[in-house]
């Protein structure tokens, strides 16, 4: 399998970001990201997708959309629409209809920042997803790199500190969001988890002090979504876009916090008597299955079945477990860095069936 690094959920000057599509692509090439998925608010921007190149480097830019009902106050039910290749904001008032339209258009639908509470210190309202009767969506944004600020900063002063020291911000997906994901998976549905930047690169100033708050280059080095493809990217825009969308749809994906250490090389696989599986796939238990976890370097790892930790390893690179129990298996990996335990890698599940 070929691994690529994708950064998704970001905004340009077409909505509430500060940079152009070319600015985002240039920053990605500086940081080694392979592909971007740009999702401006309620606008599908045409003419910006494709490969961007500079100094022998290239990045694939895919244009999607973050859709929500602009007439509703406060805002709720933000949906990341990827691969639909058409404007869908008109369907925002009815989330189920919106998801149905995305599927009809051949696109993917990810529920953005499903738990996103009020942040009074900066006047930000609660913008969580609330309509959980919906069906047919591809997955959820398990880790939102920008919304996490609401949970770790409790005052304007603390928010300012994180703006100047952004490497201290990321702790991991919110525990409430992890629990929500496990509850959705318990419903026997394949729900793909992705990590999003929610990048805006906001321009702020205090008197003579001017600063870009969480610049694009920071986000590209932080929370990424790593995809496993059957073949390397070819340079053909259409074929490579299809390969990215297929990997996301199938859940051949893990979330990596690449700032403290690269997560490239992580693998989570299952080997049965007659077949094998990777993240996003199903495998019959039969006479037993060997689960194997390979980490880029030594770290603390835990294996969960149906949302419960069943095995933990400390300071390991390779972890294995033989099981005969059906269930939804996923992996969490943690590092101790910058004074605390931080989430590093979160896999998508392997589904073991009776």
């Amino acid at each position: 399998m070929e691994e690529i690094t994708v950064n998704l959920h970001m905004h340009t000057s077409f909505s509430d970001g500060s940079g152009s599509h070319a600015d985002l692509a240039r920053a990605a090439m500086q940081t080694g990201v392979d592909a971007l998925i740009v999702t401006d608010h309620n606008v599908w921007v045409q003419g910006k997708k494709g490969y961007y190149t500079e100094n022998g480097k290239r990045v694939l830019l895919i244009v999607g959309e973050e859709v929500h009902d602009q007439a509703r106050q406060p805002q709720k039910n933000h949906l990341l629409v990827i691969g639909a290749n058409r404007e869908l904001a008109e369907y925002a008032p009815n989330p189920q209809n919106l998801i149905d339209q995305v599927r009809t258009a051949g696109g993917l639908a990810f529920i953005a920042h499903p738990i996103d509470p009020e942040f009074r210190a900066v006047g930000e309202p609660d913008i969580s997803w609330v309509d959980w009767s919906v069906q047919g969506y591809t997955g959820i944004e398990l880790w939102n790199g920008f919304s996490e600020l609401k949970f770790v900063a409790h005052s304007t002063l603390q928010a300012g500190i994180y703006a100047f020291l952004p490497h201290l911000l990321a702790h991991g997906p919110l525990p409430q969001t992890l629990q929500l994901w496990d509850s959705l998976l318990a419903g026997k549905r394949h729900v793909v988890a992705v990590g999003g930047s929610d990048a805006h690169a906001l321009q702020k100033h205090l008197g003579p002090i001017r600063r870009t708050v969480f610049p694009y280059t920071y986000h590209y080095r932080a929370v990424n979504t790593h995809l496993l493809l059957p073949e390397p990217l070819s340079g053909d825009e259409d074929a490579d876009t299809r390969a990215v969308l297929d990997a996301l749809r199938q859940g051949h994906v893990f979330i990596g916090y690449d700032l403290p250490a690269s997560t490239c090389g992580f693998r989570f696989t299952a080997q049965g008597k007659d077949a094998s599986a990777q993240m996003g796939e199903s495998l019959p238990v039969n006479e037993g299955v060997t689960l194997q976890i390979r980490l880029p370097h030594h770290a603390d790892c835990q294996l969960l079945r149906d949302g419960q930790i069943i095995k933990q390893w400390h300071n390991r690179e390779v972890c294995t477990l033989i099981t005969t129990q059906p269930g939804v298996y996923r992996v969490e990996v943690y590092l101790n860095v910058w004074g605390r335990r931080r989430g590093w890698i979160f896999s998508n599940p392997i589904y073991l069936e009776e």
Side-chain angles (χ1 to χ4, degrees), residues 136-325:
Y137 52 91
T138 311
I140 68 169
E141 186 181 42
L142 185 71
W143 192 349
N144 182 295
F146 186 59
S147 291
E148 190 176 0
L149 181 66
K150 296 181 176 183
F151 285 80
V152 300
H154 305 291
S155 67
T156 305
L157 175 60
Q158 286 183 321
I161 292 172
Y162 284 114
F164 278 88
L165 300 171
H167 67 282
L168 298 179
L169 172 60
H171 292 49
L174 305 178
Q176 301 96 314
T177 308
L178 285 167
Q179 292 170 8
L180 169 64
W181 186 34
D182 285 327
S183 70
L184 295 172
L185 293 170
K188 306 302 181 183
R189 289 186 290 172
H190 288 210
V191 180
V192 179
V194 296
S197 290
D198 207 351
H200 297 77
L202 301 175
Q203 306 293 322
K204 298 293 184 181
H205 64 88
L206 180 61
I209 302 175
R210 296 180 179 274
R211 187 171 182 85
T212 301
V213 179
F214 307 126
Y216 295 114
T217 50
Y218 158 74
H219 282 293
Y220 298 161
R221 293 187 175 103
V223 178
N224 287 304
T225 300
H226 291 247
L227 275 56
L228 300 180
L229 309 181
E231 297 177 352
L233 295 177
S234 65
D236 181 292
E237 172 195 332
D238 293 335
D240 291 346
T241 299
R242 286 195 298 271
V244 168
L245 297 181
D246 285 345
L248 287 169
R249 181 181 290 109
Q250 295 165 9
H252 298 168
V253 169
F254 68 88
I255 301 165
Y257 177 41
D258 290 306
L259 191 62
S262 172
T263 62
C264 291
F266 168 80
R267 296 293 184 270
F268 175 41
T269 58
Q271 181 63 54
K273 180 180 178 181
D274 302 311
S276 61
Q278 63 166 317
M279 293 175 293
E281 296 178 345
S282 301
L283 189 69
V285 172
N286 291 337
E287 299 172 14
V289 169
T290 299
L291 298 170
Q292 185 171 74
I293 304 159
R294 292 186 177 274
L295 307 180
H297 63 74
H298 288 76
D300 294 341
C301 179
Q302 56 192 37
L303 178 66
L304 296 89
R305 182 181 67 235
D306 299 335
Q308 302 299 314
I309 298 171
I310 60 170
K311 182 69 175 178
Q312 293 179 299
W313 298 269
H314 299 285
N315 196 29
R316 296 280 292 274
E317 277 190 5
V318 178
C319 312
T320 60
L321 179 76
I322 298 174
T323 182
T324 58
Q325 298 296 314

Side-chain angles (χ1 to χ4, degrees), residues 12-13 34 42 52 75 87 125 132 150 195 200 224 229 250 260:
T12 73
S13 54
D34 298 297
N42 297 299
Y52 289 69
Q75 298 175 14
E87 178 59 68
W132 288 106
K150 296 181 176 183
H200 297 77
N224 287 304
L229 309 181
Q250 295 165 9

Side-chain angles (χ1 to χ4, degrees), residues 20-35:
S20 66
H21 289 79
D23 291 334
L24 272 65
R26 191 174 301 112
M29 287 183 278
Q30 293 173 5
T31 53
V33 171
D34 298 297

